[in-house]
Amino acid sequence: VQLQASGGGLVQEGGSLRLSCSASGRTSSRYTTGWFRQAPGKERVFVAAITRIGWSGYSTYYEDSVKGRFTISRDNAKNTVYLQMDSLKPEDTADYYCAQKGDSGTYYDGNSYDYWGQGTQVTVSS
């Protein structure tokens, strides 16, 4: 399984970016995909996750500071999960990572995830 994160860049405060997490080796819709971020000198933290519910439903979860600004979604045909980031703030500056997990563990715990993509850097200038 390989995850490829992309879409980072430099944006001004209040701007938007859309991150993509493309998966190969398995069908993303069957697993939980999460986004985490790590700011310089800080620990990696949970940002958002999308999980499968039943056969075709899904649920989304967000860290409090990004609720209402970030939206996680997926395109099953492209086996890709997106993180739309709007109203960006300087404190959103970090390396963003996508990851996938199975049914064990919790969506907000990075240790529960089995596969990780490389980081994509997001820099928000004030």
Side-chain angles (χ1 to χ4, degrees), residues 44-76:
R44 182 183 63 197
V45 296
F46 167 75
V47 176
I50 186 166
T51 67
R52 186 184 69 168
I53 302 295
W55 288 106
S56 60
Y58 63 92
S59 290
T60 58
Y61 305 90
Y62 299 93
E63 192 271 329
D64 285 347
S65 69
V66 307
K67 284 181 181 177
R69 300 189 298 121
F70 291 10
T71 304
I72 189 170
S73 63
R74 67 185 186 194
D75 184 330
N76 293 339

Side-chain angles (χ1 to χ4, degrees), residues 4-9 18-22 35 80-81 83 96 98 118-121:
Q4 179 74 34
S6 61
R18 188 178 77 160
L19 306 184
S20 299
C21 179
S22 299
W35 285 96
T80 298
V81 172
L83 184 67
Y96 284 71
C98 65
Q118 89 293 351
T120 185
Q121 189 174 52

Side-chain angles (χ1 to χ4, degrees), residues 16 97 110 123:
S16 298
Y97 299 86
T123 303

